Amino acid sequence: MKAISDVVAELVHAANIAGRLSDSEKLLLLGRAYITIQEGGEALGNVEAAADSDVAIDIITSTGIVCQLTDEEFKTLLLEAADQIRDIKIALDRKRARFSS
């Protein structure tokens, strides 16, 4: 698994060049974002909450219509996913800090 910070950086970078990405690249990015959210939820012990989040649902819905998304819609989706993944990383860091104390 890629480091969470690497995934966030990749999503933000892709959001900035959304207009230059192919549909297959967009699908890969959405898949990577969804999997990272799922794995983060699993690591936190809360898979259902991660899978049911608005961002996760938007990602799954968007994979079926990626070719119909405007560049701005795709960019917004990636940035929302990056924000959720950052939140997951913060929660994981707090969890690890509690157990190491």
Coordinates of all heavy atoms in Angstrom, one line a residue:
M1 N 0.8 -1.2 0.0 CA 0.0 0.0 0.0 C 0.9 1.2 0.0 O 1.9 1.3 0.7 CB -0.9 0.0 1.2 CG -1.8 1.2 1.3 SD -2.9 1.1 2.7 CE -2.5 2.6 3.6
K2 N 0.5 2.2 -0.8 CA 1.2 3.5 -0.8 C 1.0 4.2 0.5 O -0.1 4.1 1.1 CB 0.7 4.4 -1.9 CG 1.3 4.2 -3.3 CD 0.8 5.3 -4.2 CE 1.7 5.4 -5.3 NZ 1.3 6.5 -6.2
A3 N 2.0 5.0 0.9 CA 1.8 5.8 2.1 C 0.6 6.8 1.9 O 0.4 7.3 0.8 CB 3.1 6.6 2.4
I4 N -0.1 7.0 2.9 CA -1.3 7.9 2.8 C -0.9 9.2 2.3 O -1.6 9.8 1.4 CB -2.0 8.0 4.2 CG1 -2.7 6.6 4.5 CG2 -3.1 9.1 4.1 CD1 -3.4 6.5 5.8
S5 N 0.2 9.8 2.8 CA 0.6 11.1 2.3 C 0.9 11.1 0.8 O 0.7 12.1 0.1 CB 1.7 11.6 3.1 OG 2.8 10.7 3.1
D6 N 1.4 10.0 0.3 CA 1.7 9.9 -1.1 C 0.4 9.9 -2.0 O 0.4 10.5 -3.0 CB 2.5 8.6 -1.4 CG 3.9 8.6 -0.9 OD1 4.4 9.7 -0.6 OD2 4.5 7.6 -0.8
V7 N -0.6 9.2 -1.5 CA -1.9 9.1 -2.2 C -2.5 10.5 -2.2 O -3.0 11.0 -3.2 CB -2.8 8.1 -1.5 CG1 -4.2 8.2 -2.2 CG2 -2.3 6.7 -1.6
V8 N -2.4 11.2 -1.0 CA -3.0 12.6 -1.0 C -2.3 13.5 -2.0 O -2.9 14.2 -2.8 CB -2.9 13.2 0.5 CG1 -3.2 14.6 0.5 CG2 -3.8 12.4 1.4
A9 N -0.9 13.4 -2.0 CA -0.2 14.2 -2.9 C -0.5 13.9 -4.4 O -0.7 14.8 -5.2 CB 1.3 14.0 -2.7
E10 N -0.7 12.6 -4.7 CA -1.0 12.2 -6.0 C -2.4 12.7 -6.4 O -2.6 13.2 -7.6 CB -1.0 10.7 -6.1 CG -1.3 10.1 -7.5 CD -1.3 8.6 -7.5 OE1 -1.3 7.9 -6.5 OE2 -1.2 8.1 -8.7
L11 N -3.4 12.7 -5.5 CA -4.7 13.2 -5.8 C -4.8 14.7 -6.0 O -5.4 15.2 -7.0 CB -5.7 12.8 -4.7 CG -5.9 11.3 -4.5 CD1 -6.9 11.0 -3.3 CD2 -6.5 10.6 -5.8
V12 N -4.0 15.4 -5.2 CA -4.0 16.8 -5.3 C -3.3 17.2 -6.7 O -3.8 18.1 -7.4 CB -3.3 17.5 -4.1 CG1 -3.0 19.0 -4.4 CG2 -4.1 17.3 -2.9
H13 N -2.2 16.6 -7.0 CA -1.5 16.8 -8.2 C -2.4 16.5 -9.4 O -2.5 17.3 -10.4 CB -0.2 16.0 -8.4 CG 0.4 16.1 -9.7 ND1 1.1 17.2 -10.1 CD2 0.5 15.2 -10.7 CE1 1.5 17.0 -11.3 NE2 1.2 15.8 -11.7
A14 N -3.1 15.4 -9.4 CA -4.0 15.0 -10.5 C -5.2 16.1 -10.6 O -5.6 16.4 -11.7 CB -4.6 13.6 -10.2
A15 N -5.7 16.6 -9.5 CA -6.7 17.6 -9.5 C -6.3 18.8 -10.2 O -7.0 19.4 -11.0 CB -7.2 17.9 -8.1
N16 N -5.0 19.1 -10.1 CA -4.4 20.3 -10.7 C -4.2 20.1 -12.2 O -4.1 21.1 -13.0 CB -3.1 20.7 -10.1 CG -3.4 21.3 -8.7 OD1 -4.4 22.0 -8.5 ND2 -2.5 21.0 -7.8
I17 N -4.2 18.9 -12.7 CA -4.0 18.7 -14.1 C -5.2 17.8 -14.7 O -5.0 17.1 -15.7 CB -2.7 17.9 -14.4 CG1 -2.6 16.6 -13.7 CG2 -1.5 18.8 -14.1 CD1 -1.5 15.7 -14.2
A18 N -6.4 18.0 -14.1 CA -7.5 17.1 -14.5 C -7.8 17.2 -15.9 O -8.2 16.1 -16.5 CB -8.7 17.6 -13.7
G19 N -7.7 18.3 -16.6 CA -8.0 18.4 -18.0 C -7.0 17.6 -18.9 O -7.4 17.3 -20.1
R20 N -5.9 17.2 -18.4 CA -4.9 16.5 -19.2 C -5.0 15.0 -19.0 O -4.2 14.2 -19.6 CB -3.5 17.0 -18.9 CG -3.4 18.4 -19.3 CD -2.0 18.9 -19.2 NE -1.2 18.6 -18.0 CZ -0.4 19.4 -17.3 NH1 -0.3 20.6 -17.7 NH2 0.2 18.9 -16.3
L21 N -5.9 14.5 -18.1 CA -5.9 13.1 -17.8 C -6.9 12.3 -18.7 O -8.0 12.9 -19.0 CB -6.4 12.9 -16.3 CG -5.4 13.5 -15.3 CD1 -6.1 13.4 -13.9 CD2 -4.1 12.8 -15.3
S22 N -6.5 11.1 -19.1 CA -7.5 10.3 -19.8 C -8.5 9.7 -18.9 O -8.3 9.7 -17.7 CB -6.7 9.2 -20.5 OG -6.2 8.2 -19.5
D23 N -9.6 9.2 -19.5 CA -10.6 8.5 -18.7 C -10.1 7.4 -17.9 O -10.4 7.1 -16.7 CB -11.8 8.1 -19.5 CG -12.6 9.3 -20.0 OD1 -12.4 10.4 -19.5 OD2 -13.4 9.0 -21.0
S24 N -9.1 6.6 -18.5 CA -8.6 5.5 -17.7 C -7.7 5.9 -16.6 O -7.7 5.3 -15.5 CB -7.8 4.5 -18.7 OG -6.7 5.2 -19.3
E25 N -7.0 7.0 -16.7 CA -6.2 7.6 -15.6 C -7.1 8.1 -14.5 O -6.9 7.8 -13.3 CB -5.3 8.7 -16.1 CG -4.2 8.3 -17.0 CD -3.4 9.4 -17.6 OE1 -4.1 10.4 -18.1 OE2 -2.2 9.4 -17.6
K26 N -8.2 8.7 -14.9 CA -9.2 9.1 -13.9 C -9.8 8.0 -13.1 O -10.0 8.0 -11.9 CB -10.3 9.9 -14.6 CG -9.9 11.3 -15.1 CD -11.0 12.0 -15.9 CE -10.5 13.3 -16.4 NZ -11.6 14.0 -17.1
L27 N -10.1 6.9 -13.8 CA -10.7 5.7 -13.2 C -9.7 5.1 -12.2 O -10.0 4.7 -11.1 CB -11.1 4.6 -14.2 CG -12.4 4.9 -14.9 CD1 -12.6 3.9 -16.0 CD2 -13.6 4.8 -13.9
L28 N -8.4 5.1 -12.6 CA -7.4 4.5 -11.7 C -7.3 5.4 -10.4 O -7.1 4.9 -9.3 CB -6.0 4.5 -12.4 CG -5.9 3.4 -13.4 CD1 -4.6 3.5 -14.2 CD2 -5.9 2.0 -12.8
L29 N -7.3 6.7 -10.6 CA -7.2 7.6 -9.4 C -8.4 7.5 -8.5 O -8.3 7.4 -7.3 CB -7.1 9.1 -9.9 CG -5.8 9.4 -10.5 CD1 -5.9 10.7 -11.4 CD2 -4.7 9.6 -9.4
L30 N -9.6 7.4 -9.1 CA -10.8 7.2 -8.3 C -10.7 5.9 -7.5 O -11.1 5.8 -6.3 CB -12.1 7.2 -9.1 CG -12.4 8.6 -9.7 CD1 -13.6 8.5 -10.6 CD2 -12.6 9.6 -8.6
G31 N -10.2 4.8 -8.2 CA -10.1 3.5 -7.5 C -9.1 3.6 -6.4 O -9.3 3.1 -5.3
R32 N -8.0 4.2 -6.6 CA -6.9 4.4 -5.6 C -7.5 5.2 -4.4 O -7.2 4.8 -3.3 CB -5.7 5.1 -6.2 CG -4.5 5.1 -5.2 CD -3.3 5.5 -5.9 NE -2.9 4.6 -6.9 CZ -2.7 4.9 -8.2 NH1 -2.9 6.1 -8.7 NH2 -2.4 3.9 -9.1
A33 N -8.2 6.2 -4.7 CA -8.8 7.0 -3.6 C -9.8 6.2 -2.8 O -9.8 6.1 -1.5 CB -9.5 8.2 -4.1
Y34 N -10.7 5.4 -3.5 CA -11.7 4.6 -2.8 C -11.0 3.5 -1.9 O -11.3 3.3 -0.8 CB -12.6 4.0 -3.8 CG -13.7 3.2 -3.1 CD1 -14.8 3.9 -2.5 CD2 -13.7 1.8 -3.0 CE1 -15.8 3.1 -1.9 CE2 -14.7 1.1 -2.4 CZ -15.7 1.8 -1.8 OH -16.7 1.1 -1.2
I35 N -10.0 2.9 -2.5 CA -9.3 1.8 -1.8 C -8.6 2.4 -0.5 O -8.6 1.8 0.5 CB -8.3 1.1 -2.7 CG1 -9.1 0.2 -3.7 CG2 -7.3 0.2 -1.9 CD1 -8.3 -0.4 -4.8
T36 N -8.0 3.5 -0.7 CA -7.3 4.2 0.5 C -8.3 4.5 1.6 O -8.0 4.3 2.7 CB -6.5 5.4 0.0 OG1 -5.6 5.0 -1.0 CG2 -5.8 6.0 1.1
I37 N -9.5 5.0 1.2 CA -10.5 5.3 2.2 C -10.9 4.0 2.9 O -11.1 4.0 4.1 CB -11.7 6.0 1.5 CG1 -11.3 7.5 1.1 CG2 -12.9 6.1 2.4 CD1 -12.3 8.2 0.2
Q38 N -11.1 3.0 2.1 CA -11.5 1.7 2.6 C -10.5 1.1 3.6 O -10.8 0.7 4.7 CB -11.8 0.6 1.5 CG -13.0 0.9 0.7 CD -14.3 0.6 1.5 OE1 -14.8 1.6 2.0 NE2 -14.7 -0.6 1.6
E39 N -9.2 1.1 3.2 CA -8.2 0.6 4.0 C -8.0 1.4 5.3 O -7.7 0.9 6.3 CB -6.9 0.5 3.2 CG -6.9 -0.6 2.2 CD -5.6 -0.6 1.3 OE1 -4.8 0.3 1.3 OE2 -5.5 -1.6 0.5
G40 N -8.2 2.7 5.1 CA -8.1 3.6 6.3 C -9.2 3.3 7.3 O -8.9 3.2 8.5
G41 N -10.4 3.1 6.8 CA -11.5 2.7 7.6 C -11.3 1.4 8.3 O -11.6 1.2 9.5
E42 N -10.7 0.5 7.6 CA -10.3 -0.8 8.2 C -9.3 -0.7 9.3 O -9.4 -1.3 10.3 CB -9.8 -1.7 7.1 CG -9.6 -3.2 7.5 CD -9.2 -4.0 6.3 OE1 -9.9 -4.1 5.3 OE2 -8.0 -4.6 6.4
A43 N -8.3 0.1 9.0 CA -7.3 0.3 10.1 C -7.8 1.0 11.3 O -7.3 0.8 12.4 CB -6.1 1.2 9.5
L44 N -8.8 1.8 11.1 CA -9.5 2.5 12.2 C -10.5 1.6 12.9 O -11.0 1.9 14.0 CB -10.1 3.8 11.8 CG -9.2 4.9 11.4 CD1 -9.9 6.1 10.8 CD2 -8.4 5.4 12.6
G45 N -10.9 0.5 12.3 CA -11.9 -0.4 12.8 C -13.3 0.1 12.5 O -14.2 -0.3 13.2
N46 N -13.4 0.9 11.4 CA -14.7 1.4 11.1 C -14.9 1.4 9.6 O -15.1 2.4 8.9 CB -14.8 2.8 11.6 CG -16.2 3.3 11.7 OD1 -17.2 2.6 11.4 ND2 -16.4 4.5 12.3
V47 N -14.9 0.2 9.0 CA -15.0 0.1 7.5 C -16.4 0.6 7.0 O -16.4 1.3 6.0 CB -14.9 -1.4 7.1 CG1 -15.0 -1.6 5.6 CG2 -13.5 -1.9 7.6
E48 N -17.5 0.3 7.7 CA -18.8 0.7 7.3 C -18.9 2.3 7.1 O -19.4 2.8 6.2 CB -19.9 0.2 8.2 CG -20.1 -1.3 8.1 CD -19.0 -2.0 9.0 OE1 -18.4 -1.4 9.9 OE2 -18.8 -3.2 8.7
A49 N -18.3 3.0 8.1 CA -18.4 4.4 8.1 C -17.6 5.0 6.9 O -18.1 5.9 6.2 CB -17.9 5.0 9.4
A50 N -16.5 4.4 6.6 CA -15.7 4.8 5.5 C -16.4 4.5 4.2 O -16.4 5.4 3.3 CB -14.3 4.2 5.5
A51 N -17.0 3.4 4.1 CA -17.6 3.0 2.8 C -18.9 3.8 2.6 O -19.3 4.0 1.5 CB -18.0 1.5 2.8
D52 N -19.5 4.2 3.7 CA -20.8 4.9 3.6 C -20.6 6.4 3.6 O -21.6 7.2 3.5 CB -21.7 4.6 4.7 CG -22.2 3.1 4.6 OD1 -22.1 2.5 3.5 OD2 -22.6 2.6 5.7
S53 N -19.4 6.9 3.6 CA -19.2 8.4 3.6 C -19.6 8.9 2.2 O -19.7 8.3 1.2 CB -17.7 8.7 3.8 OG -16.9 8.4 2.6
D54 N -20.0 10.2 2.3 CA -20.5 10.9 1.1 C -19.4 10.8 0.0 O -19.7 10.6 -1.2 CB -20.8 12.3 1.3 CG -22.1 12.5 2.2 OD1 -22.9 11.5 2.2 OD2 -22.3 13.5 2.8
V55 N -18.2 11.0 0.3 CA -17.1 11.0 -0.6 C -16.9 9.6 -1.3 O -16.8 9.5 -2.5 CB -15.7 11.5 0.0 CG1 -14.6 11.3 -1.0 CG2 -15.8 12.9 0.5
A56 N -17.0 8.6 -0.5 CA -16.8 7.2 -1.0 C -18.0 6.9 -1.9 O -17.8 6.3 -3.0 CB -16.8 6.2 0.2
I57 N -19.2 7.3 -1.6 CA -20.3 7.0 -2.4 C -20.2 7.8 -3.7 O -20.5 7.3 -4.8 CB -21.6 7.4 -1.7 CG1 -21.8 6.3 -0.6 CG2 -22.8 7.4 -2.6 CD1 -22.9 6.7 0.4
D58 N -19.7 9.1 -3.6 CA -19.5 9.9 -4.8 C -18.5 9.3 -5.8 O -18.6 9.3 -7.0 CB -19.1 11.3 -4.5 CG -20.2 12.2 -3.9 OD1 -21.4 11.7 -4.0 OD2 -19.9 13.2 -3.3
I59 N -17.4 8.7 -5.2 CA -16.4 8.1 -6.0 C -17.0 6.9 -6.7 O -16.8 6.8 -7.9 CB -15.2 7.6 -5.1 CG1 -14.4 8.9 -4.6 CG2 -14.3 6.7 -5.9 CD1 -13.4 8.6 -3.5
I60 N -17.7 6.0 -6.0 CA -18.3 4.8 -6.6 C -19.2 5.2 -7.8 O -19.2 4.7 -8.9 CB -18.9 3.9 -5.6 CG1 -17.9 3.3 -4.7 CG2 -19.8 2.9 -6.3 CD1 -16.9 2.5 -5.4
T61 N -20.1 6.2 -7.5 CA -21.0 6.7 -8.5 C -20.3 7.3 -9.7 O -20.7 7.0 -10.8 CB -21.9 7.8 -7.9 OG1 -22.6 7.2 -6.7 CG2 -23.0 8.2 -8.9
S62 N -19.2 8.0 -9.5 CA -18.5 8.7 -10.5 C -17.7 7.7 -11.4 O -17.5 8.0 -12.6 CB -17.6 9.7 -10.0 OG -18.3 10.7 -9.3
T63 N -17.4 6.6 -10.9 CA -16.6 5.6 -11.8 C -17.5 5.2 -13.0 O -16.9 4.9 -14.0 CB -16.1 4.4 -11.0 OG1 -17.2 3.7 -10.4 CG2 -15.1 4.8 -9.9
G64 N -18.7 5.2 -12.8 CA -19.6 4.7 -13.9 C -19.9 5.8 -14.9 O -20.3 5.6 -16.1
I65 N -19.6 7.1 -14.6 CA -19.8 8.2 -15.5 C -18.6 9.1 -15.6 O -18.7 10.3 -16.0 CB -21.0 9.0 -15.0 CG1 -20.8 9.6 -13.6 CG2 -22.3 8.2 -15.1 CD1 -21.8 10.6 -13.2
V66 N -17.4 8.5 -15.4 CA -16.2 9.4 -15.4 C -16.1 10.2 -16.7 O -15.6 11.3 -16.7 CB -15.0 8.5 -15.1 CG1 -14.6 7.6 -16.3 CG2 -13.8 9.4 -14.7
C67 N -16.5 9.6 -17.8 CA -16.4 10.3 -19.1 C -17.3 11.5 -19.2 O -17.2 12.3 -20.1 CB -16.5 9.3 -20.3 SG -18.1 8.6 -20.3
Q68 N -18.3 11.5 -18.3 CA -19.3 12.6 -18.4 C -19.0 13.7 -17.4 O -19.6 14.8 -17.4 CB -20.7 12.0 -18.1 CG -21.2 11.1 -19.2 CD -22.5 10.4 -18.8 OE1 -23.1 10.7 -17.8 NE2 -22.9 9.5 -19.7
L69 N -18.0 13.5 -16.5 CA -17.7 14.5 -15.5 C -16.9 15.6 -16.2 O -16.0 15.4 -17.0 CB -16.8 13.9 -14.4 CG -17.4 12.8 -13.5 CD1 -16.3 12.3 -12.6 CD2 -18.6 13.4 -12.7
T70 N -17.2 16.9 -15.8 CA -16.4 18.0 -16.2 C -15.1 17.9 -15.5 O -15.0 17.3 -14.4 CB -17.1 19.3 -16.0 OG1 -17.2 19.5 -14.5 CG2 -18.5 19.4 -16.6
D71 N -14.1 18.6 -16.0 CA -12.8 18.7 -15.3 C -13.0 19.3 -13.9 O -12.4 18.8 -13.0 CB -11.8 19.5 -16.1 CG -11.4 18.9 -17.4 OD1 -11.6 17.7 -17.6 OD2 -10.9 19.6 -18.3
E72 N -13.9 20.3 -13.8 CA -14.1 20.9 -12.5 C -14.8 19.9 -11.5 O -14.4 19.8 -10.3 CB -14.9 22.1 -12.6 CG -14.9 23.0 -11.4 CD -13.6 23.5 -11.0 OE1 -12.7 23.8 -11.9 OE2 -13.3 23.6 -9.8
E73 N -15.7 19.1 -12.0 CA -16.3 18.1 -11.1 C -15.3 17.0 -10.7 O -15.3 16.6 -9.5 CB -17.5 17.4 -11.9 CG -18.7 18.3 -12.1 CD -19.7 17.7 -13.0 OE1 -19.4 17.0 -13.9 OE2 -20.9 18.0 -12.9
F74 N -14.5 16.6 -11.6 CA -13.5 15.6 -11.3 C -12.5 16.2 -10.3 O -12.1 15.5 -9.3 CB -12.8 15.1 -12.6 CG -11.8 14.0 -12.3 CD1 -12.2 12.8 -12.0 CD2 -10.4 14.3 -12.4 CE1 -11.3 11.8 -11.7 CE2 -9.5 13.3 -12.1 CZ -9.9 12.0 -11.8
K75 N -12.1 17.4 -10.5 CA -11.1 18.1 -9.6 C -11.7 18.1 -8.2 O -11.0 17.8 -7.2 CB -10.8 19.4 -10.1 CG -9.9 20.2 -9.2 CD -9.6 21.6 -9.8 CE -8.7 22.4 -8.9 NZ -8.3 23.7 -9.5
T76 N -13.0 18.6 -8.1 CA -13.6 18.7 -6.8 C -13.7 17.3 -6.1 O -13.4 17.2 -4.9 CB -15.0 19.3 -7.0 OG1 -14.9 20.6 -7.6 CG2 -15.8 19.3 -5.7
L77 N -14.0 16.3 -6.8 CA -14.1 14.9 -6.3 C -12.8 14.5 -5.7 O -12.7 14.0 -4.6 CB -14.6 14.0 -7.3 CG -14.9 12.5 -6.9 CD1 -15.8 12.5 -5.7 CD2 -15.4 11.7 -8.0
L78 N -11.7 14.7 -6.5 CA -10.4 14.3 -6.0 C -10.0 15.1 -4.8 O -9.4 14.5 -3.9 CB -9.3 14.6 -7.1 CG -9.3 13.6 -8.3 CD1 -8.2 13.9 -9.3 CD2 -9.3 12.2 -7.9
L79 N -10.3 16.4 -4.8 CA -9.9 17.2 -3.6 C -10.7 16.8 -2.3 O -10.2 16.8 -1.2 CB -10.0 18.7 -3.9 CG -9.1 19.2 -4.9 CD1 -9.4 20.7 -5.2 CD2 -7.6 19.0 -4.5
E80 N -12.0 16.4 -2.5 CA -12.8 15.9 -1.4 C -12.2 14.6 -0.9 O -12.2 14.4 0.3 CB -14.2 15.8 -1.8 CG -14.9 17.1 -2.0 CD -16.3 17.0 -2.6 OE1 -16.7 15.8 -3.0 OE2 -17.0 18.0 -2.6
A81 N -11.8 13.8 -1.8 CA -11.2 12.5 -1.4 C -9.9 12.7 -0.7 O -9.7 12.1 0.4 CB -11.0 11.6 -2.7
A82 N -9.1 13.6 -1.2 CA -7.8 13.9 -0.5 C -8.1 14.5 0.9 O -7.4 14.1 1.9 CB -7.0 15.0 -1.3
D83 N -9.1 15.3 1.1 CA -9.5 15.8 2.4 C -9.9 14.7 3.3 O -9.5 14.6 4.5 CB -10.6 16.8 2.3 CG -10.1 18.2 1.9 OD1 -8.9 18.5 1.9 OD2 -11.0 19.0 1.4
Q84 N -10.7 13.8 2.9 CA -11.2 12.6 3.7 C -10.0 11.8 4.1 O -9.9 11.3 5.2 CB -12.3 11.8 3.0 CG -12.7 10.7 3.9 CD -14.0 10.1 3.5 OE1 -14.6 10.5 2.5 NE2 -14.4 9.0 4.2
I85 N -9.1 11.5 3.1 CA -7.9 10.7 3.4 C -7.0 11.3 4.4 O -6.5 10.7 5.3 CB -7.2 10.3 2.0 CG1 -8.1 9.4 1.2 CG2 -5.9 9.6 2.3 CD1 -7.7 9.2 -0.2
R86 N -6.9 12.7 4.3 CA -6.1 13.4 5.3 C -6.7 13.2 6.7 O -6.0 13.0 7.7 CB -6.0 14.9 5.0 CG -4.9 15.3 4.1 CD -4.8 16.8 4.0 NE -4.4 17.2 2.7 CZ -5.1 17.7 1.7 NH1 -6.4 18.0 1.9 NH2 -4.6 18.0 0.6
D87 N -8.0 13.3 6.8 CA -8.7 13.1 8.0 C -8.5 11.7 8.6 O -8.3 11.5 9.8 CB -10.2 13.4 7.9 CG -10.6 14.8 7.6 OD1 -9.7 15.7 7.9 OD2 -11.7 15.1 7.2
I88 N -8.5 10.7 7.7 CA -8.2 9.4 8.1 C -6.8 9.2 8.7 O -6.6 8.6 9.7 CB -8.4 8.4 7.0 CG1 -9.9 8.3 6.7 CG2 -7.8 7.0 7.3 CD1 -10.3 7.5 5.4
K89 N -5.8 9.9 8.0 CA -4.4 9.8 8.4 C -4.3 10.5 9.8 O -3.6 9.9 10.7 CB -3.5 10.5 7.5 CG -2.1 10.5 7.9 CD -1.1 11.1 6.9 CE 0.3 11.1 7.3 NZ 0.7 10.7 8.6
I90 N -5.0 11.6 10.0 CA -4.9 12.2 11.4 C -5.5 11.3 12.4 O -4.9 11.1 13.5 CB -5.7 13.6 11.3 CG1 -4.9 14.6 10.5 CG2 -5.9 14.1 12.7 CD1 -5.7 15.8 10.1
A91 N -6.6 10.7 12.1 CA -7.2 9.7 13.1 C -6.3 8.5 13.4 O -6.2 8.1 14.5 CB -8.6 9.3 12.6
L92 N -5.6 8.0 12.3 CA -4.7 6.9 12.5 C -3.5 7.3 13.3 O -3.1 6.6 14.2 CB -4.2 6.4 11.1 CG -5.2 5.6 10.3 CD1 -4.7 5.3 8.9 CD2 -5.5 4.3 11.0
D93 N -3.0 8.5 13.1 CA -1.9 9.0 13.9 C -2.2 9.2 15.3 O -1.5 8.8 16.2 CB -1.4 10.4 13.3 CG -0.7 10.2 12.0 OD1 -0.3 9.1 11.6 OD2 -0.5 11.3 11.3
R94 N -3.4 9.7 15.6 CA -3.9 9.8 17.0 C -4.0 8.4 17.6 O -3.7 8.2 18.8 CB -5.3 10.5 17.0 CG -5.2 12.0 16.8 CD -6.5 12.6 16.9 NE -6.4 14.0 16.6 CZ -7.3 14.8 16.1 NH1 -8.5 14.2 15.8 NH2 -7.2 16.0 15.8
K95 N -4.6 7.5 16.9 CA -4.8 6.1 17.4 C -3.4 5.5 17.7 O -3.2 4.9 18.8 CB -5.5 5.2 16.4 CG -5.8 3.8 16.8 CD -6.6 3.1 15.7 CE -6.9 1.7 16.2 NZ -7.6 0.9 15.2
R96 N -2.4 5.6 16.8 CA -1.1 5.1 17.1 C -0.4 5.8 18.3 O 0.2 5.1 19.1 CB -0.2 5.3 15.9 CG -0.6 4.4 14.7 CD 0.3 4.6 13.5 NE -0.3 3.8 12.4 CZ -0.5 4.3 11.2 NH1 -0.3 5.6 10.9 NH2 -1.0 3.6 10.3
A97 N -0.7 7.1 18.4 CA -0.1 7.8 19.6 C -0.7 7.3 20.9 O 0.1 7.2 21.9 CB -0.3 9.3 19.4
R98 N -2.0 7.0 20.9 CA -2.6 6.5 22.1 C -2.0 5.2 22.5 O -1.8 4.9 23.7 CB -4.1 6.4 21.9 CG -4.9 7.6 22.1 CD -6.3 7.4 22.3 NE -6.9 6.4 21.3 CZ -7.6 6.8 20.3 NH1 -7.8 8.1 20.0 NH2 -8.1 5.9 19.4
F99 N -1.8 4.3 21.5 CA -1.3 3.0 21.8 C 0.2 3.0 22.2 O 0.7 2.1 22.8 CB -1.6 2.0 20.7 CG -3.0 1.6 20.6 CD1 -3.8 2.0 19.5 CD2 -3.6 0.9 21.6 CE1 -5.1 1.7 19.5 CE2 -4.9 0.6 21.6 CZ -5.7 1.0 20.5
S100 N 0.9 4.0 21.7 CA 2.4 4.0 22.0 C 2.7 4.7 23.3 O 3.8 4.7 23.8 CB 3.1 4.7 20.9 OG 2.8 6.1 20.8
S101 N 1.7 5.4 23.9 CA 1.9 6.1 25.2 C 1.9 5.1 26.4 O 1.3 4.1 26.4 CB 0.8 7.1 25.4 OG 0.9 8.1 24.3

